[in-house]
Amino acid sequence: MKLMWIIALLNCLLFCATQTAGVSIESSPLAGLDGFIQTELEKMVSLTCTHDAASEADSELVWLRNDAVVSLKEGNKKGPSRVCISPVILADKDATFTCRLKSNASDSVSVVLNVTYPPSLTDAEVITVEEEATMVLWCDIDAHPPVSSVSWTLNGTEMDLKAGEFILTNDGLTSRLSTNKVQRSLHEGTYRCTVVSPMYGTQTNVFTVDVTDKTMKFPLWPMVAGIVVVCLTTILAVASRWRKIVKCCK
Ligand SMILES: *[C@@H]1O[C@H](CO)[C@@H](O)[C@H](O)[C@H]1NC(C)=O
Ligand SMILES: *[C@@H]1O[C@H](CO)[C@@H](O)[C@H](O)[C@H]1NC(C)=O
Ligand SMILES: *[C@@H]1O[C@H](CO)[C@@H](O)[C@H](O)[C@H]1NC(C)=O
């Protein structure tokens, strides 16, 4: 008998967590006691809402996603009503799903999606940059939970930002390493951006930077000026010629 009670209590802890008086949500995966459902990008979350409405007439259920009504098929309105989030996308991060009775808005229950995802680091990149040009290397560090550290190395040693005239910025989404005037002796080599996620471990982006000689840029403006001069001379020549021709025809 005692064991039965313990099992019932355990069940309740697991399944009744997101239950208020009338409506309740069962979820897969299960929601925590705080109403958060742990999931990841590309995964599936299914939510089932049930109610104990007294009369059949009042038993229609409404689902909201962040206060916007979720449209339900006809047979899915009177409990149990099921919604499926598949696949989970980035926009579902912190999305709140609420189920309530249509007849009584105050009888509602909610769950929130806690979507975790790793930083999306790219494959190894080979970058060719001209001497004296600007160089920018990017590393995506957007992740949930947030990354715990980002570090850059050049040829396997920690970067001397000052000596290399590097500018390192981090806006929480990307870590950006840049320099305004590339010099082969300072900037050629293999760069590594190492991002540590408390949940997904360590990831590294490798950039191989080749510095090439500065090429002469095509001198566009002097050429345009030259063409303009040639055109004007021609027009003037034709114009003065025209006057002569016109005179001659009189
Ligand atoms: C609506 O639901 C709340 C919460 O369950 C309950 O206290 C209240 O009596 C209900 N109101 C009606 C009109 O049924
Ligand atoms: C969301 O999940 C992460 C990873 O498990 C956890 O660290 C974080 O506390 C969770 N957030 C909430 C609000 O539950
Ligand atoms: C990094 O290593 C490469 C290859 O050994 C070398 O050519 C380059 O000069 C080194 N870069 C720096 C900044 O020391």
Side-chain angles (χ1 to χ4, degrees):
M1 194 63 193
K2 238 180 192 169
L3 192 66
M4 291 263 291
W5 271 110
I6 290 169
I7 289 168
L9 192 69
L10 275 178
N11 268 336
C12 203
L13 279 178
L14 289 173
F15 293 107
C16 313
T18 48
Q19 177 162 23
T20 55
V23 285
S24 63
I25 294 178
E26 264 181 40
S27 69
S28 166
L30 291 173
L33 293 171
D34 52 3
F36 278 89
I37 296 174
Q38 198 76 28
T39 185
E40 289 181 281
L41 292 183
E42 305 296 326
K43 292 268 170 73
M44 189 187 100
V45 173
S46 89
L47 307 173
T48 308
C49 184
T50 51
H51 65 84
D52 56 6
S55 67
E56 181 73 8
D58 296 337
S59 66
E60 190 166 332
L61 294 167
V62 178
W63 276 101
L64 303 171
R65 180 190 182 279
N66 290 341
D67 300 327
V69 175
V70 176
S71 72
L72 298 172
K73 291 221 174 77
E74 216 27 68
N76 194 23
K77 287 183 178 169
K78 297 198 171 178
S81 172
R82 185 162 177 259
V83 297
C84 203
I85 302 112
S86 174
V88 170
I89 57 169
L90 204 51
D92 293 320
K93 185 183 168 196
D94 298 326
T96 302
F97 286 85
T98 304
C99 176
R100 64 172 172 78
L101 277 174
K102 196 173 185 181
S103 58
N104 183 357
S106 61
D107 192 359
S108 77
V109 59
S110 298
V111 288
V112 181
L113 299 192
N114 184 7
V115 182
T116 62
Y117 54 94
S120 58
L121 269 64
T122 51
D123 292 332
E125 289 177 57
V126 177
I127 291 159
T128 307
V129 58
E130 267 179 30
E131 197 119 25
E132 292 184 27
T134 302
M135 176 182 86
V136 185
L137 305 178
W138 311 79
C139 210
D140 181 9
I141 57 168
D142 181 22
H144 185 67
V147 301
S148 50
S149 80
V150 187
S151 58
W152 288 82
T153 59
L154 169 53
N155 280 358
T157 55
E158 207 180 316
M159 304 264 288
D160 186 345
L161 294 180
K162 213 165 187 184
E165 289 174 7
F166 286 110
I167 304 156
L168 186 59
T169 58
N170 177 342
D171 63 3
L173 301 177
T174 39
S175 173
R176 188 172 173 273
L177 180 77
S178 64
T179 183
N180 289 327
K181 206 168 181 190
V182 168
Q183 280 175 263
R184 182 175 281 136
S185 59
L186 289 178
H187 300 129
E188 196 165 66
T190 304
Y191 293 76
R192 274 194 176 78
C193 156
T194 303
V195 181
V196 182
S197 156
M199 191 165 176
Y200 297 98
T202 303
Q203 276 177 282
T204 303
N205 245 25
V206 181
F207 306 86
T208 307
V209 173
D210 286 329
V211 178
T212 59
D213 289 335
K214 196 182 172 193
T215 53
M216 282 300 287
K217 290 276 181 291
F218 194 65
L220 188 64
W221 286 113
M223 242 189 85
V224 170
I227 290 168
V228 169
V229 168
V230 168
C231 285
L232 279 178
T233 325
T234 315
I235 290 167
L236 287 175
V238 170
S240 62
R241 199 61 196 276
W242 187 245
R243 227 172 284 137
K244 266 187 205 152
I245 294 166
V246 170
K247 257 185 209 154
C248 167
C249 287
K250 269 190 181 167

